Amino acid sequence: MFHYGCGAQHEDDGVGQRLKGYVVAVLVAMLLTPSFPTLSGLPSVRLDDVLLLLAPVYVAVVVGRIIIDVRVFVLFVITWWIALSILWGAVLGFGAALGDLFVIVRLMKYVGAVVLASTLVSVCGSRDDALDWFLERFVLVGIALGLIVVQQYYDLLGLNASYVSLVAPTQYETLVGGYPWPRPVGMIGNPNELGFLLGLLGLSSLWLFLVHETRAATWSVLVACYVTLMLLTLSRSATLSIVIGAMVLLFLVVVRGPIQIDGVPHPRRLRMKVFAIVLLAGVAAGVAVSTTGVIDSFLWRYSTELAITAAETRVSYWGENLEIINRSPVFGVGTLKHDGGLQYAADNEWILLMRMGGVLLPVLVAILFLIGMFRGGGPFGRLSRALIAAIAAASFVYMVPAALFFSLVMMPLVLLILVVASPRSVLSVRSV
């Protein structure tokens, strides 16, 4: 059956513990620490930025080798293609500046996440053990984030006034002073990104619940908690994308029929009983909330009128960006951060990627998500591929109205999960 923790380690226990401690530190930094301001004119810095940029160095020193996953090569191709696109955009007369190359630093953070995840699999001895260990730590660290979300939504002890302006200045008024529809921002600073992060926590909990017989009640309760917290962010894009991801996961794990682990049928009766209990409890809670009128305070954004208005606004923004894409469909025109002629943001990350690097860039990004679907790995491999498919589906939908690939928190986190779920190591370089 399945195993929890990294029991069959290939490395010395001390090496494994230090590496796992580093991974936990990265998760804590991602979920529970804010951005820190730097010198005027420079981007703010997050603790996880530093940890992931230094991850290859840490791995080389502690483990003694760096494992190169095929996703590292994809990220390097993306990096060089974006640099070429910035140069080409300058040739075409679009604004460009040295600061545009900061995107390369962002991509190096992604490389650090891939290297760290690949090494975790090596230290744990198998993808199966590494995935169990990582997802369990992820959802447990998420509990602390959930407490922050509840505190922000209800402004418990009036704490929002003391720190929200530092985390998310644009959301300060909605979280302080009794605003009727507060939108928690966690430590990310953006309610939409927070919503997707909470949705990822819910998807991870759901996968643990569906795949493992042990701790089924714990995982099912966490699913309900994270979904509820996601709704509190009022993020339509996060809600829709995570619902689609959950449907993909449920179909691939449950609907496609029973599987066998080590030749033994994998029972589902306990899982489905617990799931039924949680579902009924959720329905009862929904009825109780709706009768008190509280539901109106956080579901107003999901009205058809508001959704249509938001969609029409985004489509109008897309038009300007599509015109630029038509001018350079192959190479794109770079980031355009310093171009005064751009009136609207892309408001669609797929269009942003095409505007930035032509038709090739979104293809490369999609490959980055889907690499784990290209190979087998037995029954457990099918289950890990189901998780990859769910996350990819949710991510692709979320990227239509919002940003994921260029999120300094969400994209490294997604890469950590995808790599652990399906490592594609092609080279191991020993440090001197």
Side-chain angles (χ1 to χ4, degrees), residues 280-302:
L280 291 174
V283 171
V287 172
V289 168
S290 63
T291 56
T292 62
V294 176
I295 196 169
D296 295 332
S297 68
F298 64 89
L299 289 185
W300 64 275
R301 278 175 55 86
Y302 298 93

Side-chain angles (χ1 to χ4, degrees), residues 1-16:
M1 298 296 286
F2 299 108
H3 307 283
Y4 272 91
C6 299
Q9 293 181 355
H10 286 177
E11 310 289 343
D12 175 76
D13 284 342
V15 172

Side-chain angles (χ1 to χ4, degrees), residues 269-290:
R269 294 183 63 185
L270 176 61
R271 291 199 305 272
M272 298 315 296
K273 285 182 179 179
V274 176
F275 189 81
I277 292 173
V278 173
L279 181 62
L280 291 174
V283 171
V287 172
V289 168
S290 63

Side-chain angles (χ1 to χ4, degrees), residues 46-382:
R46 295 183 54 87
L47 179 57
D48 49 283
D49 294 343
V50 178
L51 290 174
L52 287 178
L53 287 172
L54 293 177
V57 177
Y58 183 86
V59 167
V61 172
V62 172
V63 181
R65 69 174 184 273
I66 294 179
I67 298 174
I68 307 299
D69 187 277
V70 68
R71 296 172 181 87
V72 171
F73 292 108
V74 177
L75 285 168
F76 273 113
V77 173
I78 290 174
T79 300
W80 284 107
W81 190 257
I82 289 177
L84 176 63
S85 298
I86 292 173
L87 177 62
W88 181 248
V91 171
L92 293 178
F94 290 92
L98 189 61
D100 292 344
L101 295 177
F102 177 75
V103 69
I104 296 177
V105 178
R106 181 189 301 267
L107 291 168
M108 291 306 99
K109 179 180 179 180
Y110 299 173
V111 169
V114 173
V115 169
L116 188 61
S118 301
T119 309
L120 176 65
V121 175
S122 174
V123 167
C124 287
S126 74
R127 179 266 321 276
D128 305 355
D129 289 338
L131 185 56
D132 283 339
W133 183 89
F134 182 83
L135 290 183
E136 182 177 353
R137 269 63 182 181
F138 175 44
V139 299
L140 292 179
V141 172
I143 293 174
L145 174 62
L147 296 176
I148 293 174
V149 172
V150 172
Q151 181 276 313
Q152 289 180 350
Y153 185 80
Y154 293 103
D155 194 12
L156 300 177
L157 304 177
L159 293 177
N160 288 353
S162 63
Y163 75 94
V164 168
S165 60
L166 300 176
V167 177
T170 59
Q171 297 294 323
Y172 180 80
E173 292 184 1
T174 68
L175 292 171
V176 176
Y179 186 76
W181 299 294
R183 300 189 68 187
V185 295
M187 288 298 168
I188 295 181
N190 183 303
N192 290 321
E193 288 189 42
L194 175 63
F196 192 79
L197 172 56
L198 292 166
L200 273 184
L201 286 162
L203 275 181
S204 300
S205 302
L206 178 60
W207 188 86
L208 289 169
F209 171 65
L210 292 171
V211 169
H212 294 288
E213 294 298 326
T214 58
R215 307 185 190 179
T218 300
W219 307 135
S220 61
V221 169
L222 287 176
V223 171
C225 290
Y226 286 133
V227 169
T228 301
L229 293 171
M230 178 184 68
L231 291 175
L232 294 184
T233 66
L234 306 180
S235 175
R236 294 181 295 253
S237 53
T239 301
L240 175 61
S241 60
I242 294 301
V243 167
I244 291 175
M247 291 173 62
V248 170
L249 183 61
L250 288 170
F251 174 79
L252 293 178
V253 175
V254 178
V255 177
R256 286 187 60 186
I259 62 173
Q260 291 188 347
I261 304 298
D262 297 330
V264 179
H266 194 53
R268 288 194 175 84
R269 294 183 63 185
L270 176 61
R271 291 199 305 272
M272 298 315 296
K273 285 182 179 179
V274 176
F275 189 81
I277 292 173
V278 173
L279 181 62
L280 291 174
V283 171
V287 172
V289 168
S290 63
T291 56
T292 62
V294 176
I295 196 169
D296 295 332
S297 68
F298 64 89
L299 289 185
W300 64 275
R301 278 175 55 86
Y302 298 93
S303 67
T304 302
E305 181 179 352
L306 283 174
I308 292 176
T309 300
E312 290 175 345
T313 301
R314 285 193 169 94
V315 170
S316 67
Y317 290 174
W318 297 348
E320 179 189 24
N321 289 271
L322 290 173
E323 290 178 3
I324 296 175
I325 292 172
N326 289 332
R327 293 181 59 181
S328 180
V330 177
F331 296 106
V333 296
T335 62
L336 297 191
K337 283 187 177 180
H338 303 276
D339 187 82
L342 189 63
Q343 185 176 0
Y344 299 115
D347 231 3
N348 180 320
E349 200 162 27
W350 294 112
I351 291 179
L352 172 62
L353 290 168
M354 289 187 66
R355 191 194 75 195
M356 180 181 293
V359 294
L360 179 61
L361 188 55
V363 172
L364 290 171
V365 171
I367 290 174
L368 197 62
F369 280 88
L370 297 175
I371 284 175
M373 301 294 297
F374 298 157
R375 250 186 357 202
F380 197 93
R382 194 194 106 187

